[in-house]
Amino acid sequence: MQGFDLATPTTVDEAVALLAREGSLAIAGGTDLLPNIKHELFEPRTVVALGGIEELRGIELESDGTLSIGATTTLAHVAAHDEVRCRATALAQAASLVAGPQLRTMGTLGGNVLLDTRCQWYNQSYFWRQSLGFCLKKDGSVCHVIESGSKCVAAASNDTAAPLLTLDAELEFASNTGRRRLPIAELYKSDGVANLRKEPGELLVRVRIPALETGRERLGAYGKLRERGSIDFPLLGVAVRLDVVDDRIVHAALGAIALQARPLALQKAAAALIDAPASGPGFDDAVLACAAAAARQLHPVANVPGDAQWRKEMAPVYVRETVRAARAGTGPVHGR
Amino acid sequence: MASSIVELKVNGDTVEVAAPDHFTLLEVLRYRLGLTGSKQGCDKGDCGACTVLVDGEPVLACLTLARLAVGHEVTTIEGLMPAHLRAGGTGADPVQEAFDRCGALQCGFCQPGMMLSARALLDREPNPSRAAIKGALSGNLCRCTGYTQIIEAVETAIAASTERAPDGGSR
Ligand SMILES: Cc1cc2nc3c(=O)[nH]c(=O)nc-3n(C[C@H](O)[C@H](O)[C@H](O)COP(=O)(O)OP(=O)(O)OC[C@H]3O[C@@H](n4cnc5c(N)ncnc54)[C@H](O)[C@@H]3O)c2cc1C
Ligand code: SF4
Ligand code: FES
Ligand code: FES
């Protein structure tokens, strides 16, 4: 691995001062950063470790019911935490399916939210990429997915982004010029080279999930398509949120990842569920209409491994099963 | 690029090694301390061959910067039997004995990581279900065995531990 200096700040102020310097990158769990450095995709001069900063840790329930999760909270902790499982079920389920056990013990929620986009032509060694003449995300000028394309379509592959979208999560960033809060829906853009509306020196401090309106029951589930039952990145990820009052769905949201550079909000699919009964034949019909609407919006391309046609055909299946799981209080939905 | 003296706690011993900042825990274990039990498989998080325990939890040494392991207890496969003996046991760790008895290996490359993942599971949960065993080992790939004997080995280790428990503990 290419050399770098390691800095170990203990406060947010120290960290943002270090991150403001040219060539600095943050390391939380390091489970994406280090493979990317090894593949010579990232070439930092200084790596700033976040593990020693107290403010970035832990899960708290604020007095107004907001769930506040520190950026360096591990995915294993998010997946197992009772308040997360109850108030943000799809998030807990998504975290429980990221990679394998060791990587969930190491990997953090912040690192997941800010994960670099992935592509089978990009997440490769320098030697491998060089043999193909590189690509426009790094070191080259062509795209191997959309030939003649001028835009990178590497996929947002972070499982937690989909549930966080459906839960209207808000992100708190710190930099050497102050702090700001950003709705997660505004974080991502559709450019695979750099899909984050975030300055290089900005540090993600906490992720907040707003409280549910009183009188509503919030249901959620996550579905993940992948080749093996463990370790693999998603070939498709679907998060579902249903808010229910008196057996009627008063609000629904669906999010999908591993399609394009931006995690997608599936508004038409969600609209098919809103105002539908939450049980009986009315619910069953709404679920099928939702899955059909999702299928019209989801167009996998050959950016991540796995046959794109298979991913396309599985999309309505995963949407259908994940909505059903949310209603039944089961899930996550995944192959093996 | 900066280098420093890194003070690590490995298998109960405090050791000091000089290493550049970008060295992983795996590189320090293998190339500075000569502890080659932790395997360098993919070196990028895919295979689990480099699994070690940090404060009792399985992590990937190939994706852990050595300096960030300072202040934590690192256990490698070399430390498993000594820890078992220190705790009053005899012979190798029951997990090691069981892997041996069940023939749960061919080339052996995945075994150190497998056994450490299994040891951490049994420390957390002495009598796990088969699904829990599969889950705990799901970050460790084996190219040889087909996994069946590996799962049987963990179940054998559980049986051995529970049998021995009444007369003085299993490890
Ligand atoms: C084999 C393998 C399988 C994987 N499978 C999956 C999978 O199925 N699903 C999935 O979603 N991910 C997967 N991952 C990727 C990764 O493990 C997770 O996404 C993890 O959550 C990343 O978190 P981290 O803390 O390790 O991030 P890091 O690697 O530390 O950081 C990731 C990026 O975020 C930046 N960063 C991190 N924290 C902050 C912060 N607080 N403020 C500012 N910048 C920050 C870093 O600079 C870096 O650019 C896999 C990785 C491997 C190696
Ligand atoms: S989609 Fe893949 S091949 Fe195309 S530019 Fe992006 S990373 Fe490169
Ligand atoms: S060598 Fe660390 S996971 Fe393969
Ligand atoms: S015994 Fe060869 S990899 Fe498992």
Side-chain angles (χ1 to χ4, degrees):
Chain A
M1 180 163 49
Q2 180 206 281
F4 49 76
D5 292 338
L6 181 66
T8 52
T10 55
T11 64
V12 166
D13 286 350
E14 272 170 44
V16 295
L18 288 157
L19 287 170
R21 295 190 201 154
E22 170 102 26
S24 292
L25 283 178
I27 185 168
T31 63
D32 193 53
L33 187 85
L34 294 180
N36 289 350
I37 296 175
K38 290 180 185 201
H39 285 160
E40 298 177 48
L41 297 167
F42 295 176
E43 293 146 316
R45 237 176 289 148
T46 306
V47 167
V48 180
L50 306 180
I53 307 173
E54 182 69 39
E55 192 184 340
L56 306 186
R57 291 193 210 131
I59 303 179
E60 279 159 35
L61 191 59
E62 295 178 351
S63 54
D64 64 353
T66 302
L67 195 58
S68 165
I69 309 179
T72 60
T73 308
T74 65
L75 295 166
H77 198 54
V78 169
H81 196 274
D82 286 342
E83 293 292 353
V84 181
R85 288 162 59 126
C86 161
R87 289 162 190 269
T89 311
L91 173 64
Q93 292 185 359
S96 80
L97 293 185
V98 171
Q102 298 96 322
L103 288 160
R104 290 191 293 273
T105 301
M106 305 166 74
T108 66
L109 183 64
N112 198 257
V113 168
L114 302 175
L115 191 76
D116 191 16
T117 54
R118 295 184 62 85
C119 172
Q120 55 184 328
W121 311 102
Y122 168 73
N123 297 98
Q124 303 288 355
S125 66
Y126 186 88
F127 174 78
W128 195 105
R129 291 183 293 116
Q130 186 184 36
S131 68
L132 271 184
F134 303 107
C135 77
L136 56 84
K137 183 160 161 66
K138 179 72 181 144
D139 303 322
S141 57
V142 293
C143 175
H144 306 296
V145 175
I146 312 282
E147 281 172 37
S148 79
S150 58
K151 196 169 168 189
C152 170
V153 293
S157 302
N158 41 352
D159 286 297
T160 69
L164 288 172
L165 260 186
T166 67
L167 293 161
D168 303 318
E170 188 185 63
L171 310 173
E172 180 181 343
F173 286 102
S175 71
N176 64 346
T177 57
R179 299 216 177 192
R180 67 167 177 144
R181 290 191 180 199
L182 184 76
I184 194 164
E186 291 171 28
L187 176 68
Y188 301 105
K189 53 184 179 170
S190 59
D191 176 4
V193 174
N195 76 336
L196 302 175
R197 289 196 186 88
K198 167 192 169 299
E199 296 302 321
E202 278 187 307
L203 175 73
L204 178 60
V205 179
R206 299 194 80 84
V207 176
R208 288 192 178 79
I209 297 167
L212 186 64
E213 284 172 42
T214 43
R216 288 187 180 189
E217 185 188 8
R218 184 193 282 164
L219 305 169
Y222 187 67
K224 175 168 179 169
L225 177 70
R226 55 180 168 180
E227 247 148 42
R228 296 174 292 190
S230 179
I231 305 178
D232 288 342
F233 277 93
L235 301 180
L236 173 73
V238 180
V240 172
R241 166 183 173 181
L242 305 174
D243 290 4
V244 175
V245 177
D246 294 337
D247 206 37
R248 185 156 287 277
I249 299 169
V250 295
H251 176 72
L254 280 86
I257 52 142
L259 293 147
Q260 27 180 286
R262 189 151 82 139
L264 295 178
L266 307 181
Q267 273 136 353
K268 285 186 182 150
L273 297 170
I274 294 174
D275 271 341
S279 59
F283 176 70
D284 297 340
D285 290 347
V287 173
L288 297 181
C290 167
R296 285 191 290 275
Q297 195 184 338
L298 302 181
H299 302 288
V301 291
N303 46 9
V304 299
D307 180 47
Q309 184 59 30
W310 178 57
R311 288 162 60 218
K312 181 163 179 56
E313 287 176 16
M314 291 310 279
V317 177
Y318 270 68
V319 169
R320 187 188 73 209
E321 292 307 315
T322 309
V323 177
R324 286 180 180 160
R327 179 64 194 111
T330 57
V333 173
H334 64 128
R336 283 148 278 223
Chain B
M1 295 300 148
S3 276
S4 58
I5 303 290
V6 186
E7 189 185 290
L8 293 172
K9 250 192 127 182
V10 181
N11 299 330
D13 294 330
T14 302
V15 292
E16 285 188 351
V17 286
D21 280 8
H22 68 275
F23 257 42
T24 61
L25 179 58
L26 184 63
E27 287 166 325
V28 164
L29 291 171
R30 290 181 59 88
Y31 308 120
R32 290 289 191 267
L33 298 174
L35 295 172
T36 53
S38 309
K39 299 301 175 213
Q40 195 163 16
C42 64
D43 210 31
K44 61 190 181 74
D46 291 333
C47 73
C50 64
T51 302
V52 298
L53 306 185
V54 172
D55 298 334
E57 290 277 349
V59 302
L60 302 177
C62 73
L63 299 184
T64 301
L65 291 178
R67 269 188 58 198
L68 298 181
V70 171
H72 300 278
E73 300 263 352
V74 178
T75 308
T76 70
I77 194 66
E78 290 89 347
L80 218 50
M81 182 167 163
H84 178 60
L85 296 176
R86 271 199 306 276
T90 49
D93 187 286
V95 169
Q96 292 172 305
E97 294 281 4
F99 271 71
D100 181 20
R101 211 161 341 124
C102 296
L105 71 156
Q106 267 179 49
C107 77
F109 203 79
C110 67
Q111 297 302 297
M114 285 284 182
M115 291 193 279
L116 288 167
S117 286
R119 176 75 271 153
L121 169 69
L122 300 192
D123 284 347
R124 198 168 60 230
E125 206 180 325
N127 200 2
S129 64
R130 183 164 265 233
I133 297 170
K134 285 186 175 175
L137 299 184
S138 65
N140 295 83
L141 297 186
C142 176
R143 301 305 301 259
C144 306
T145 63
Y147 302 100
T148 310
Q149 294 102 315
I150 290 175
I151 310 240
E152 281 169 13
V154 181
E155 288 176 337
T156 302
I158 296 166
S161 306
T162 25
E163 272 160 32
R164 262 181 285 157
D167 51 55
S170 59
R171 70 179 290 256

